[in-house]
Amino acid sequence: MKRQLQIVLGILITFVAVAIVFHSCKPGKEAVKSEAVEAALATYVPPGDLDEFYLFYSGGHSGNIFVAGIPSMRHICTIPVFTPYPSTGYGFDAETKKMLGGYTWGDAHHPALSETNGDYDGRWLFINDNANNRIARIDLKDFKVKQILGPIPNLSGNHGSTFVTENTEYVTIATRFSVPIPKGTYVPVEEYAKKYHGIVALVEVDPKTGEMRMDEKHGFQVLMPPFNFDLGDAGKGPSHGWVFWTCYNSERATGILEITASQNDRDYIAAVNWKKAEEYLKQGKYKIINGVRVIDPKEAPGVVYLMPCAKSPHGVDVSPDGKWIVGSGKLQSITTVYNFEKMLKAIENKDFVGEEDGIPVLRYESVREAEVPVGLGPLHTQFDDKGYAYTSLFVESAIAKWKLGTWEVVDKIPIAYNIGHLCVPEGDTKHPAGKYVIALNKLSHGRHLTVGPSQPEASQLIDITGEKMKLLYDAFTEPEPHYAQAIRADKLKDKVIEVYQKGIDNKDPNAIWDEKDAKVVRKGNTVEVWMIAVRSRFQPWKIEVNQGDKVIIHLTNIEQTTDELHGFAICEYDINVVVDPGETKTIEFVANKPGVYPFYCTNFCSALHQEMQGYLLVKPKGGAGVAQK
Ligand code: K7E
Ligand code: CUA
């Protein structure tokens, strides 16, 4: 009884204390607090629960892709693409090493999920390497890179990619830089305006396998004036068959571009009719340059048109219904909406105001539908499911929300700080999911615990379900997400595998599944090993070779249980691979250092993980048994 009284008294005192504290708070603070609670609840994914969307961020010059969940914004994994990544052993085994082609990094900007009928189909994810003119394809079945195409001939600065067409017929590309074509030719830079060229290119994608091809029979390029092409987007619905790219430096200038390339009041959006281009290809109206088909617009009328756009544009984005093309001049305070139908009419009426290297320039007033006063420094636009557009404003450090059709700006939210791209889940499809916009920001200062001068990048999750946008969450990544795409998680649920099933997913001819088949075979100076990894041993656990031998190890993780990864590292041989359950990887190296080198498992796999080890014994040159000095 006494104890009960004590408890009741205790509760009462707590109530009074809380009431006093609350009472003394300013109402402003209270409102802030309830907003924070609301935001916290909106992003909270309880332990064990799953996020609604996958977010695939490009990793910029890290050469990777970061995967996070929405709305939690928690980083789930990193997909190494253009850069070796010890965590997964990427770039250490023979296959991925070959795929990287000797490059140790890439500059990944724009991930693009494959589409069927203009919607993400959850099959593949493409991403560009701006620096080394490559494109990678990730299979979303296992979140691994299956192909890196390139360096692609004639491309210089693969920035304006990898926007896919409505049915992933093509991965599209425009070059940021212009160089003499064929690439590899020397021409003095003084002759830039006449003899250098930009390129737009369409890489063909095999509809069954996703294999990307650009050669004398597949894909094609279009020779363009020496502008700097920037961003693009493929048409959809009525504009299917077209791709649009912004370009700056219509001045064809060199030197200090921030001055020399900002002279003209307008630059362009290039509209490329790829269906028309396909007709010319069929007629053989192209040249083979550096092993790929190149169309010259001078000889192929109707393939390219230029639409004047506000000075130095960056982003161009096609609305979900395919009717509107939004192009933003980053030095202006408006974004321009072009009407696709009007564009077709202007083409039909030959409503041109000039030409550039034989490419007609359409009259601005005839193709423009509206100039939306979004604010300072517009870059990129995304769309939601309710007919609104969201434009990032770099200079103003904000997002403007505006309505398609009425073109009025209805809301604005400040961003911390200086937003680049933005992403609405399923935002580049015919059916955006809406709900959120993720701001991908260039600066993060002061928003996180200090980590010294090398600061992370910030992204912010914003609720767009209401009339007013609401900031929910700050998240940080390593440099440097340029763009991101997000897909409904349930689209991948039944597609993703967690184990490579023996004989089904793993068809490697060098896979072995039984310890009895483990062996070491010598052929001349090559020692080939078939090895298994299983909790918690390697078999064979001993590899004896002579100094100078070539060693090939085919390592199969014979586990068929999810999450049972094993690693394989050889001390001081710079060898480090990871084999997922049911996976086989091949490791090749020359045993050039004599002595005894332990190898071990790097992934903590069982209570006896530490025991999972063995030896590489390298007999020194000059005969077996000679001791190492
Ligand atoms: Cu950073 Cu798309 Cu390469 Cu804009 S790009 S911000
Ligand atoms: Cu296998 Cu640790």
Side-chain angles (χ1 to χ4, degrees):
M1 188 66 195
K2 202 180 162 197
R3 199 173 144 65
Q4 273 174 355
L5 241 178
Q6 269 178 346
I7 292 170
V8 170
L9 253 177
I11 291 172
L12 262 176
I13 289 166
T14 313
F15 261 115
V16 171
V18 167
I20 290 168
V21 169
F22 269 74
H23 192 75
S24 59
C25 281
K26 292 196 178 79
K29 260 193 195 161
E30 264 319 292
V32 168
K33 205 166 166 191
S34 81
E35 257 173 45
V37 170
E38 242 178 70
L41 286 175
T43 59
Y44 184 63
V45 177
D49 277 9
L50 302 175
D51 278 295
E52 190 180 350
F53 301 97
Y54 285 93
L55 177 67
F56 296 100
Y57 292 105
S58 72
H61 45 286
S62 80
N64 298 327
I65 286 178
F66 310 127
V67 184
I70 303 175
S72 77
M73 296 299 279
R74 291 182 293 209
H75 174 253
I76 302 169
C77 73
T78 295
I79 306 173
V81 183
F82 298 114
T83 304
Y85 197 63
S87 305
T88 61
Y90 184 76
F92 290 84
D93 64 291
E95 195 187 345
T96 55
K97 215 183 217 175
K98 189 172 161 219
M99 219 159 45
L100 288 171
Y103 291 94
T104 59
W105 77 291
D107 190 3
H109 280 238
H110 307 109
L113 289 153
S114 57
E115 293 179 18
T116 301
N117 296 324
D119 282 314
Y120 300 151
D121 57 22
R123 299 208 285 169
W124 310 299
L125 178 67
F126 300 93
I127 191 148
N128 62 326
D129 168 12
N130 177 53
N132 307 308
N133 304 309
R134 296 177 295 170
I135 291 192
R137 185 186 82 252
I138 291 135
D139 195 332
L140 291 176
K141 192 176 157 192
D142 60 2
F143 282 49
K144 285 183 190 165
V145 177
K146 292 296 149 71
Q147 187 192 2
I148 295 180
L149 181 75
I152 299 170
N154 303 328
L155 297 191
S156 195
N158 174 22
H159 185 259
S161 73
T162 53
F163 325 103
V164 299
T165 52
E166 201 173 271
N167 290 297
T168 321
E169 295 93 341
Y170 294 105
V171 166
T172 68
I173 299 176
T175 54
R176 177 172 165 192
F177 310 112
S178 287
V179 293
I181 302 293
K183 186 163 77 182
T185 314
Y186 167 80
V187 174
V189 74
E190 286 69 28
E191 295 176 56
Y192 180 87
K194 290 231 166 76
K195 300 217 173 131
Y196 283 46
H197 284 283
I199 292 280
V200 301
L202 278 83
V203 171
E204 202 172 309
V205 179
D206 185 293
K208 285 229 173 69
T209 62
E211 173 94 8
M212 301 177 285
R213 288 181 288 191
M214 166 136 298
D215 52 39
E216 296 195 3
K217 295 228 167 69
H218 304 94
F220 65 95
Q221 304 185 340
V222 181
L223 197 67
M224 300 293 275
F227 306 151
N228 293 61
F229 292 88
D230 205 8
L231 266 296
D233 201 2
K236 40 173 105 73
S239 51
H240 176 56
W242 291 76
V243 196
F244 306 92
W245 280 286
T246 54
C247 63
Y248 53 97
N249 194 15
S250 59
E251 294 84 352
R252 308 181 185 219
T254 54
I256 309 297
L257 288 195
E258 68 172 315
I259 300 162
T260 57
S262 302
Q263 303 298 309
N264 295 353
D265 280 342
R266 294 234 168 91
D267 287 296
Y268 299 115
I269 288 174
V272 176
N273 183 342
W274 58 260
K275 293 242 161 134
K276 186 94 191 159
E278 284 178 341
E279 289 171 21
Y280 284 110
L281 292 176
K282 270 197 205 118
Q283 296 161 15
K285 289 196 178 148
Y286 57 84
K287 274 196 198 107
I288 300 284
I289 303 180
N290 266 345
V292 300
R293 302 187 288 185
V294 181
I295 292 176
D296 186 340
K298 269 201 251 30
E299 285 141 34
V303 170
V304 193
Y305 296 93
L306 297 170
M307 297 195 284
C309 182
K311 199 184 244 203
S312 303
H314 188 50
V316 57
D317 298 278
V318 178
S319 62
D321 61 9
K323 287 186 189 165
W324 313 114
I325 301 138
V326 181
S328 294
K330 55 191 188 272
L331 299 178
Q332 306 273 321
S333 60
I334 53 130
T335 190
T336 305
V337 182
Y338 300 84
N339 181 328
F340 179 71
E341 247 171 61
K342 285 187 181 174
M343 185 194 93
L344 291 186
K345 266 210 195 91
I347 291 170
E348 205 185 298
N349 297 338
K350 298 208 160 43
D351 196 356
F352 307 144
V353 293
E355 52 106 30
E356 297 266 12
D357 295 359
I359 303 170
V361 178
L362 297 165
R363 183 184 306 281
Y364 178 70
E365 292 73 18
S366 304
V367 293
R368 168 208 63 188
E369 180 71 26
E371 289 180 348
V372 185
V374 284
L376 278 183
L379 294 185
H380 302 285
T381 299
Q382 285 272 284
F383 307 91
D384 69 6
D385 52 332
K386 299 189 190 84
Y388 290 98
Y390 300 79
T391 300
S392 60
L393 306 170
F394 179 81
V395 177
E396 205 172 309
S397 207
I399 295 175
K401 174 182 176 182
W402 50 279
K403 185 137 184 76
L404 290 165
T406 69
W407 319 119
E408 6 148 40
V409 176
V410 295
D411 190 27
K412 223 174 231 194
I413 188 168
I415 293 300
Y417 301 91
N418 296 69
I419 180 173
H421 274 274
L422 70 183
C423 162
V424 169
E426 307 259 334
D428 287 298
T429 71
K430 285 181 171 173
H431 305 98
K435 284 188 120 164
Y436 306 102
V437 63
I438 294 105
L440 303 167
N441 308 333
K442 299 300 181 192
L443 305 172
S444 64
H445 54 77
R447 302 287 290 196
H448 49 76
L449 291 175
T450 181
V451 289
S454 199
Q455 307 240 339
E457 309 296 340
S459 1
Q460 293 184 296
L461 182 73
I462 293 154
D463 179 337
I464 56 168
T465 54
E467 231 170 86
K468 293 236 143 229
M469 293 178 274
K470 267 190 255 160
L471 175 64
L472 298 177
Y473 199 76
D474 275 15
F476 305 96
T477 63
E478 297 197 332
E480 156 158 352
H482 288 267
Y483 189 39
Q485 279 193 340
I487 184 171
R488 284 182 205 282
D490 57 23
K491 283 194 183 172
L492 296 191
K493 210 173 93 205
D494 301 322
K495 287 204 167 94
V496 185
I497 57 162
E498 295 189 347
V499 167
Y500 295 99
Q501 280 187 60
K502 168 183 172 180
I504 296 173
D505 307 304
N506 181 343
K507 296 205 172 94
D508 193 314
N510 286 305
I512 55 165
W513 299 96
D514 197 307
E515 287 185 52
K516 290 200 305 276
D517 300 322
K519 60 185 172 186
V520 181
V521 177
R522 171 178 286 281
K523 257 191 230 144
N525 289 332
T526 301
V527 176
E528 198 162 359
V529 182
W530 285 264
M531 182 187 267
I532 59 112
V534 69
R535 276 163 288 172
S536 290
R537 59 193 177 277
F538 294 107
Q539 201 64 268
W541 60 267
K542 182 182 80 171
I543 304 170
E544 271 203 277
V545 301
N546 298 323
Q547 187 181 0
D549 278 347
K550 180 175 184 185
V551 183
I552 303 171
I553 303 169
H554 309 288
L555 173 63
T556 302
N557 175 352
I558 64 171
E559 309 264 4
Q560 293 282 284
T561 316
T562 60
D563 227 350
E564 282 304 334
L565 284 66
H566 296 287
F568 177 83
I570 308 178
C571 297
E572 293 184 26
Y573 258 91
D574 200 29
I575 299 285
N576 157 54
V577 300
V578 175
V579 271
D580 297 343
E583 189 178 34
T584 301
K585 276 185 180 169
T586 294
I587 306 143
E588 293 181 8
F589 62 98
V590 176
N592 47 16
K593 287 188 277 192
V596 173
Y597 297 89
F599 54 79
Y600 68 98
C601 173
T602 50
N603 281 55
F604 205 104
C605 51
S606 76
L608 296 176
H609 152 81
Q610 289 296 89
E611 278 78 352
M612 195 165 170
Q613 64 171 60
Y615 300 95
L616 168 71
L617 301 116
V618 185
K619 292 179 200 159
K621 266 193 185 124
V626 175
Q628 193 190 352
K629 262 189 228 153

